[in-house]
Each structure stands twice: as C-alpha cells, then as structure tokens.
Amino acid sequence: MDIVSPLAGTEPPLDCAKCPRLVAFRHDCQAEYPDWWNAPVYAFGDPDAWLAFAGLAPGKHGANRTGRPFTGDYAGDLLFATLAEFGLSRGAYDARPDDGLTLDGAIIVNSVKCLPPQNKPTPAEIANCRPFFEEQMAALKQVRVVIALGRIAHDAALRAAGVRLAGFPFSHGAVHLLPDGRHLIDSYHCSRYNTNTGRLTPEMFADVFRTALALRDQTSGRNSSTTAR
C-alpha cells in the first residue's frame, strides 16, 4: 500500500518505537490482519489548507486498516459527507484510500498517529506523539481555523499553540482565538457512539463547519474564548 503524506518530513517512521504499548498492539494487528496498514497514519488533505481538523487517533477498523485518517469507519462517513456538503472535498468518498478523494482547503492531522487499544491513548503516548503533531501544525502556514474533534485533540491544539489549557476550556461549539491569530473551534468527536447517543447530530456537526467558514476571512485579534451562536 503506497500512501504519501501531504506533510513530508513531519511524520513518524512506519516502525515508530516511541510507545511500547502501541508497538505491541501494532504487532498484534500485523499478525492478525497482515493486509492492513498497521502503522502510524499520515495526515491527509491539502498542504495549503486554511482549515485543519485535529483528530484523536486512528480507529482499528478505519484508518489503521486503510492507512488514511477517518477512512473506513462511521466517523469517516459523517466527516467526509460534511466536507463534501461544504465544498471542502473533490471526488467521491468510497471508504478506501485509492477512491480518488482529495480535500480542497482542508487537512486532517491526528494528535496521536498510532492505533491505541480501546481508542484510548495514555497521557504518555499523547506526549510522545506531540512533537509530530506540533511540527505539522507549524508547517501549515495557511491554516487560519482549527477544528478539534474531541477533548484530546483540543488539548493537543492548545499545547501546539503554546497556551495554558485552563484558559481555554473544551465545550462543543466554543471558539477560541489563539495568540497566533488562528481560531480553534471545539467539536464533539464524530464517532458512532456520539452520534448514536445524540451527543452529536449531523446538524450540530454542520454548524461547526458553518462557524469555520464564517471565521475564515476574519483577521487576528486579542486572545479570547467565546461560544458560537
């Protein structure tokens, strides 16, 4: 499987050994599913994007299988459908990395690159992956808006911006103006669990995109946190 990162030089090696628990889980998956990607998952999208999605980590039957973020599981069904609805993708999403889909003005960057057991990375694993995430966020010179998909991604984006977490509490729909002029928008993760329980509806998710588009052309201002209406 040949997958190329849009942010070449910022990705961990495919045999990254930083996190022993994740390495062991990767080896288990490689033994059980030898045809899967089973490696750190690269960023996906437009390297000149104005909008970045900070994700959590690969899903076992999604990105860890296919090698592309959010590809092959329910979270991707909702994410890519909403990207298409707002004109941020080209081509048809078919849940596989060779479906020809591209993103236009958007990019997806996971805060943890490897599959964690039960989709729950430990604080140490998040910290080990932080340099890769922070280098990628720094490389995205055109990004003006970041959508954090869940609390872990929210915290990773704040650390990448060099601000105190306590000053920017996570809340779905909240908009945080960061010192570098970027806006961080919080969203519940588009997981099957969150949608099945009604914590996140497709309309709520679409509202996050509407907020991002409304912010796109705004200029930098003073550091603040607000709640989108």
Side-chain angles (χ1 to χ4, degrees):
M1 189 183 300
D2 185 20
I3 296 178
V4 178
S5 172
L7 300 174
T10 68
E11 304 285 2
L14 294 181
D15 60 350
C16 184
K18 282 181 172 286
C19 304
R21 187 180 75 118
L22 302 191
V23 172
F25 195 41
R26 181 196 310 153
H27 290 166
D28 288 346
C29 288
Q30 289 170 341
E32 187 173 2
Y33 305 104
D35 296 331
W36 287 12
W37 175 255
N38 292 320
V41 174
Y42 296 159
F44 171 62
D46 183 352
D48 296 317
W50 65 268
L51 174 62
F53 290 84
L56 169 54
K60 183 174 182 179
H61 295 273
N64 183 66
R65 175 173 63 85
T66 64
R68 193 175 74 182
F70 288 90
T71 298
D73 56 19
Y74 178 81
D77 292 346
L78 179 56
L79 176 59
F80 289 118
T82 314
L83 284 163
E85 178 184 349
F86 286 90
L88 293 166
S89 64
R90 298 287 178 267
Y93 171 67
D94 195 30
R96 51 189 177 84
D98 60 351
D99 55 15
L101 180 77
T102 60
L103 302 188
D104 185 3
I107 192 166
I108 303 167
V109 181
N110 278 338
S111 49
V112 176
K113 309 301 184 185
C114 290
L115 170 70
Q118 289 82 49
N119 295 319
K120 294 179 180 179
T122 67
E125 290 161 356
I126 296 168
N128 283 343
C129 225
R130 189 179 304 155
F132 301 112
F133 178 79
E134 293 184 353
E135 184 177 2
Q136 291 180 332
M137 294 303 292
L140 294 167
K141 303 298 186 184
Q142 305 304 316
V143 163
R144 285 170 281 169
V145 181
V146 179
I147 295 176
L149 299 175
R151 175 63 181 271
I152 289 176
H154 163 92
D155 288 355
L158 290 178
R159 288 190 172 99
V163 298
R164 292 177 62 251
L165 304 189
F168 302 83
F170 177 86
S171 177
H172 179 82
V175 178
H176 309 282
L177 180 57
L178 302 176
D180 61 3
R182 289 176 172 176
H183 286 89
L184 174 65
I185 308 174
D186 293 338
S187 175
Y188 293 133
H189 195 281
C190 48
S191 66
R192 181 184 293 274
Y193 176 82
N194 282 343
T195 55
N196 281 351
T197 59
R199 190 180 197 192
L200 179 70
T201 66
E203 184 60 24
M204 289 170 63
F205 200 44
D207 280 343
V208 171
F209 281 66
R210 293 186 184 101
T211 299
L213 290 166
L215 292 169
R216 178 173 51 185
D217 297 322
Q218 289 189 9
T219 57
S220 300
R222 63 183 181 85
N223 192 348
S224 65
S225 295
T226 61
T227 299
R229 302 297 181 187

